[in-house]
Amino acid sequence: MIHHIPNILTKQQVAEFRALMDTAQWVNGKVTAGTLSASVKHNQQLSEQDPLTHHLSDLVIQAIWNNPAFQTAALPHHIIPPLFNRYDEHESFGFHVDNSIRLIRGTSQQMRTDLSCTLFLSEPEEYDGGDLVIEDTYGYHEVKLPAGDLVLYPSTSLHEVSSITRGSRFASFFWVQSLVRDDTKRHLLFNLDETVRSLRIQHGDGYPEVVKLTNIYHNLMRMWSEV
Ligand code: NI
């Protein structure tokens, strides 16, 4: 399931990020790619050692832990500290799959990548091309979101960033190990959670069916979550 989560960052925050990123040192994006994906990866990144990366990464982490829509859709257990990339004209990242296991920066802890996230830091009008194209069982989905919005998709999907034909595209990207590994189960929980939310608005928290469905939600979480 592909989720669009709006307003992870405010426009003001995006402007502050972009001002800092404009003066940053960019390095070749191949540094964090596996050998196969390195051959199709043509972009630039902020170095993982750069203090600016840590500063911006902390702000993104804070924003996503405080975002109820992100929490409901991702059910995060571990989050890889976000990285930052830019694509200038003629740059692209051809079809690839993200590594299944990654090391959490600055630790010896490994995590499984269940969900891939892209947080857009450029407005769609700022560039042409540069769509995130995600393949799933229904075909190809082209994603280009307003600055501050995020897309969340299963890391099992093949995906690409198509070539930029005008302007520059800035984004943050990171991975989530979910409490619920299976995409179908996570999606059922998401739908149940949304339904309970809407019943609560219509009937109030004390409505007996709200209590029963909330009980079912938590019992499914107990059955399916890995902590
Ligand atoms: Ni990727």
Side-chain angles (χ1 to χ4, degrees), residues 75-121:
L75 300 173
H77 184 26
H78 298 299
I79 297 174
I80 279 264
L83 291 170
F84 299 86
N85 61 18
R86 73 179 283 170
Y87 293 80
D88 290 337
E89 254 183 65
H90 309 303
E91 293 186 323
S92 62
F93 192 171
F95 272 104
H96 65 279
V97 68
D98 295 342
N99 284 346
S100 47
I101 304 290
R102 298 196 84 96
L103 200 61
I104 300 184
R105 185 164 75 218
T107 73
S108 55
Q109 194 188 349
Q110 291 183 306
M111 57 162 265
R112 188 183 63 239
T113 55
D114 294 324
L115 293 161
S116 300
C117 305
T118 299
L119 170 62
F120 289 77
L121 296 171

Side-chain angles (χ1 to χ4, degrees), residues 3-227:
H3 289 272
H4 169 191
I5 319 267
N7 307 319
I8 293 280
L9 297 179
T10 63
K11 297 295 183 195
Q12 175 64 35
Q13 283 176 306
V14 171
E16 286 163 13
F17 271 57
R18 287 288 299 278
L20 291 167
M21 290 166 95
D22 275 348
T23 58
Q25 290 278 343
W26 293 87
V27 300
N28 191 315
K30 292 188 200 293
V31 287
T32 55
T35 44
L36 193 65
S37 57
S39 64
V40 292
K41 188 174 186 185
H42 308 283
N43 70 354
Q44 302 157 68
Q45 285 178 199
L46 292 183
S47 159
E48 288 186 87
Q49 285 77 41
D50 192 329
L52 178 61
T53 307
H54 298 187
H55 171 63
L56 297 179
S57 176
D58 287 348
L59 294 174
V60 174
I61 289 272
Q62 207 179 330
I64 54 182
W65 280 114
N66 290 328
N67 188 291
F70 181 89
Q71 295 298 316
T72 307
L75 300 173
H77 184 26
H78 298 299
I79 297 174
I80 279 264
L83 291 170
F84 299 86
N85 61 18
R86 73 179 283 170
Y87 293 80
D88 290 337
E89 254 183 65
H90 309 303
E91 293 186 323
S92 62
F93 192 171
F95 272 104
H96 65 279
V97 68
D98 295 342
N99 284 346
S100 47
I101 304 290
R102 298 196 84 96
L103 200 61
I104 300 184
R105 185 164 75 218
T107 73
S108 55
Q109 194 188 349
Q110 291 183 306
M111 57 162 265
R112 188 183 63 239
T113 55
D114 294 324
L115 293 161
S116 300
C117 305
T118 299
L119 170 62
F120 289 77
L121 296 171
S122 295
E123 295 295 354
E125 309 80 64
E126 291 181 67
Y127 59 98
D128 290 325
D131 291 280
L132 172 64
V133 185
I134 303 164
E135 185 191 34
D136 72 6
T137 49
Y138 298 106
Y140 293 94
H141 303 269
E142 291 179 359
V143 182
K144 187 185 273 196
L145 299 179
D149 287 14
L150 177 142
V151 62
L152 185 72
Y153 58 98
S155 301
T156 48
S157 327
L158 279 174
H159 55 277
E160 72 157 0
V161 175
S162 66
S163 185
I164 299 279
T165 55
R166 178 189 63 89
S168 295
R169 172 196 192 271
F170 293 83
S172 175
F173 62 101
F174 56 95
W175 294 272
V176 174
Q177 180 174 326
S178 180
L179 289 164
V180 176
R181 175 183 195 161
D182 185 86
D183 193 55
T184 314
K185 289 177 181 164
R186 200 184 319 108
H187 186 48
L188 279 174
L189 287 165
F190 174 78
N191 278 336
L192 180 54
D193 195 52
E194 293 279 285
T195 308
V196 173
R197 249 174 239 269
S198 120
L199 275 176
R200 283 174 67 180
I201 292 165
Q202 290 172 56
H203 299 284
D205 288 355
Y207 191 63
E209 277 70 19
V210 166
V211 178
K212 283 182 188 167
L213 287 171
T214 304
N215 189 21
I216 292 172
Y217 179 87
H218 284 287
N219 287 338
L220 287 173
M221 275 297 284
R222 273 189 198 93
M223 200 184 299
W224 291 342
S225 61
E226 304 166 44
V227 282

